Amino acid sequence: MDTLAIIQSRHSYRGLYQADPVPREDLRAILAAGLAAPSGCNLQTTRLLAADEPGLLSKLREVLKKPSLCSAPALICVLSRPQEAYAGHCFARQDYAAAIENMLLAIVALEYQSCWYEGYLSNDDQISRHLAQILNVPEPYELVCVLPVGLAAENPAAPPARLPFEQRAWFNSLPSQGL
């Protein structure tokens, strides 16, 4: 697929996945895409962990509970290590967001489906902390996101309509009627 077509066709898939395993070479390519993302001050604060071993996935599924996450044959866990870049600025959130987007695009390029799960992990039930314990994630790293990876078991729904370009992007100045 052409890069711009991949960007335009990417959308979140929240359905069930086929049981077919994701080959390690595909997972490696997805992880490499994430690691190729830009990083503030080149601190490279993001680490990635792919889980594809059935016994480990079973333990993770006991915590995750969402059908869309639990049916995926592979999970990519995104770890972040916040640290100051300079003058009190930390770019860890931007670093991992860029890595996630690169991986989501690689997932589409390889004809798999995924969805960015972050908020669900940080609810009061502390799912991310439980996952981190299972995966032996050391401090000061935080497990911030999980990406399920696999082939769709259902026809992926069309992505929701986006606002027209003209309502979200301009050249040289904002329109006089504002945003």
Side-chain angles (χ1 to χ4, degrees):
M1 246 192 214
D2 167 82
T3 303
L4 294 176
I6 290 168
I7 291 169
Q8 292 299 324
S9 66
R10 192 223 56 80
H11 65 281
S12 297
Y13 175 75
R14 292 179 180 84
L16 299 177
Y17 291 87
Q18 295 178 23
D20 304 349
V22 178
R24 279 277 171 98
E25 51 275 8
D26 288 352
L27 286 173
R28 184 175 184 80
I30 294 164
L31 296 173
L35 296 176
S39 173
C41 295
N42 198 33
L43 290 177
Q44 302 176 48
T45 59
T46 303
R47 300 293 187 270
L48 307 171
L49 192 157
D52 64 349
E53 193 276 321
L56 177 58
L57 287 170
S58 179
K59 290 177 186 175
L60 297 173
R61 289 172 178 148
E62 288 176 20
V63 175
L64 290 168
K65 298 180 179 149
K66 274 190 179 294
S68 56
L69 284 166
C70 292
S71 67
L75 297 171
I76 295 176
C77 300
V78 179
L79 312 175
S80 178
R81 180 184 48 136
Q83 68 184 78
E84 182 179 330
Y86 66 90
H89 298 283
C90 174
F91 301 112
R93 184 171 288 151
Q94 292 88 336
D95 291 353
Y96 77 73
I100 291 168
E101 181 64 9
N102 273 13
M103 289 188 291
L104 290 171
L105 295 173
I107 288 166
V108 171
L110 293 169
E111 300 182 0
Y112 297 108
Q113 298 294 325
S114 189
C115 184
W116 181 330
Y117 286 94
E118 183 174 351
Y120 171 70
L121 302 181
S122 60
N123 290 339
D124 291 339
D125 48 12
Q126 301 198 0
I127 292 171
S128 64
R129 186 166 299 183
H130 295 299
L131 296 174
Q133 288 172 343
I134 294 167
L135 296 167
N136 299 313
V137 175
E139 299 236 354
Y141 287 95
E142 302 170 16
L143 194 150
V144 294
C145 174
V146 173
L147 301 176
V149 181
L151 297 171
E154 310 162 357
N155 282 335
R162 299 202 186 268
L163 292 173
F165 180 91
E166 295 77 15
Q167 289 182 20
R168 297 180 62 204
W170 301 271
F171 293 96
N172 303 317
S173 71
L174 290 174
S176 58
Q177 69 270 20
L179 300 174

